[in-house]
Amino acid sequence: MTVAMKKWGILSLSCLLGLLLGANVSATTLKGQDLTVTPVISESASQAKPNIYSFHYEADHDYTVEADITNTGTEKRRYQAEIEDAYTNQNGQLVYRDTDKRQGIRKLTDKPKQTGTIAPNETKHITFHLKTDQEPFDGVKIGGLRVTELAQASKNDIKNNISLITSIVMATSETETTAVSGLDVTNVADVFTTTKRGYEFKFDNDTAQLLTGVQATMTLYNHNKKVAEKTLQPITIAPKSPFKLFLPVDGRPDAFTKATVTFKKDDQEKTVAFNNTKPSPGTTDKPEKHNWTPYYWGGGLLVTGLAGGGYYLVKRRNRDGA
């Protein structure tokens, strides 16, 4: 698959869809421009899900994440392989990042990143060793193996990096849940910058399992008047982690006094509310600067005029006295 992307562009091909949709996919090879990545699913992983690394979580246990990387092109290629953690982005999508999350996979390995070079028609085998904590754990840990095909910079300094991701899931029992009772809103703020205009919602998630196929309806009111509303569906919420959702608007956001969010999942529903104690229109990137220059000039002219008038009066009095 050939993909033309702008600088540091990324094509994320996540095998998590097979898990979320319940598909039993046998083809596991992911294809980039010249590199292909084939996950090696060991016997300790679930054979029922050949498109992901699926492990039954046990405390103080060793796990292995392996893959074969093949260069099908005619030139030498560089790659970067990294264990990343999954989180929910502002659009309600599950994405991956190289920062530790509360119920992530990345912190289970001492060496989360590997780099190398592959010659044409060569295959390299990569291995990551994961070690779970000694403390008992109940729930789901989720992350992914990202293999990035690092392209050479072109004449206009554009790098067509392509990332191929295979999900890693560790669970003690059920991977998913239908309960939305662990969701709560912690803050809502209006945002008005040159690149972002709307309302940012912040949430806490106390649910230990993965939540998929959730509908979230965000509504804002200025007293009894509805000023904005948007429904996101379906969204995926990573376990035991705070997350944000964004409601974009055209122009400057209106002031609001209250915001509500209704989460729906199958037959489960929960509405949470946030009361804005300081309703105001949005804030800009920088506080507005007042131009005091005319006042400085005006003050200077006034002082000069008063001084000149006083000097004239003193001379007039001295002359008249003489």
Side-chain angles (χ1 to χ4, degrees):
M1 176 172 55
T2 301
V3 180
M5 294 175 147
K6 291 187 177 180
K7 188 174 183 179
W8 301 110
I10 288 178
L11 173 64
S12 296
L13 302 178
S14 174
C15 286
L16 183 63
L17 291 177
L19 169 68
L20 303 185
L21 301 178
N24 190 358
V25 182
S26 57
T28 58
T29 298
L30 304 177
K31 297 181 180 180
Q33 183 170 346
D34 289 322
L35 300 185
T36 64
V37 180
T38 304
V40 178
I41 307 298
S42 63
E43 294 181 359
S44 60
S46 171
Q47 297 301 316
K49 298 291 184 182
N51 56 319
I52 64 168
Y53 300 99
S54 180
F55 301 102
H56 176 72
Y57 185 93
E58 295 181 23
D60 195 22
H61 195 75
D62 294 312
Y63 298 90
T64 302
V65 173
E66 302 174 84
D68 290 327
I69 306 176
T70 302
N71 183 0
T72 62
T74 58
E75 297 182 2
K76 182 171 60 176
R77 290 295 181 187
R78 296 182 302 120
Y79 72 89
Q80 176 177 292
E82 190 166 8
I83 300 294
E84 299 186 340
D85 284 347
Y87 72 101
T88 301
N89 69 5
Q90 65 177 16
N91 298 316
Q93 301 168 334
L94 201 67
V95 294
Y96 300 84
R97 194 173 179 181
D98 58 350
T99 54
D100 294 352
K101 299 298 179 182
R102 182 177 175 183
Q103 287 194 203
I105 304 293
R106 185 179 174 88
K107 62 183 178 182
L108 301 182
T109 178
D110 294 332
K111 297 180 180 180
K113 182 187 296 186
Q114 300 178 19
T115 59
T117 303
I118 305 181
N121 300 316
E122 181 186 5
T123 297
K124 280 196 175 181
H125 186 80
I126 59 171
T127 302
F128 290 90
H129 298 283
L130 310 180
K131 176 74 172 181
T132 56
D133 298 330
Q134 295 182 354
E135 294 79 10
F137 168 80
D138 185 25
V140 176
K141 291 182 180 291
I142 184 167
L145 169 62
R146 180 193 295 270
V147 178
T148 303
E149 182 175 340
L150 302 172
Q152 300 293 335
S154 61
K155 294 180 180 179
N156 53 359
D157 199 29
I158 293 179
K159 294 183 178 181
N160 298 327
N161 290 349
I162 299 176
S163 289
L164 308 169
I165 301 177
T166 303
S167 297
I168 306 170
V169 177
M170 290 183 170
T172 54
S173 55
E174 295 295 327
T175 303
E176 291 190 58
T177 182
T178 60
V180 294
S181 56
L183 303 176
D184 196 13
V185 60
T186 58
N187 189 61
V188 181
D190 44 47
V191 179
F192 184 72
T193 68
T194 55
T195 58
K196 198 173 184 180
R197 299 178 181 183
Y199 303 92
E200 185 178 73
F201 290 69
K202 295 182 180 180
F203 302 92
D204 267 342
N205 176 24
D206 197 39
T207 308
Q209 282 79 31
L210 190 66
L211 271 167
T212 65
V214 178
Q215 174 182 299
T217 301
M218 300 173 286
T219 311
L220 296 108
Y221 302 90
N222 191 341
H223 299 289
N224 295 325
K225 179 185 176 182
K226 184 187 296 186
V227 297
E229 185 174 63
K230 184 177 183 179
T231 297
L232 293 177
Q233 64 175 350
I235 67 172
T236 301
I237 303 173
K240 286 280 185 180
S241 59
F243 63 99
K244 301 176 184 178
L245 296 177
F246 191 72
L247 193 163
V249 297
D250 295 328
R252 182 179 290 274
D254 293 328
F256 71 98
T257 57
K258 181 181 179 180
T260 64
V261 184
T262 299
F263 294 101
K264 292 182 180 180
K265 164 72 175 176
D266 297 339
D267 59 344
Q268 304 289 318
E269 181 176 327
K270 180 181 182 181
T271 299
V272 293
F274 175 82
N275 293 313
N276 189 13
T277 57
K278 297 180 180 180
S280 64
T283 57
T284 57
D285 284 325
K286 298 180 180 180
E288 182 180 358
K289 293 184 178 180
H290 200 83
N291 186 8
W292 294 100
T293 303
Y295 297 96
Y296 295 148
W297 280 104
L301 291 174
L302 179 61
V303 171
T304 303
L306 291 175
Y311 177 75
Y312 171 77
L313 291 175
V314 170
K315 290 202 66 174
R316 176 77 178 270
R317 185 190 61 184
N318 293 336
R319 186 181 63 189
D320 292 344

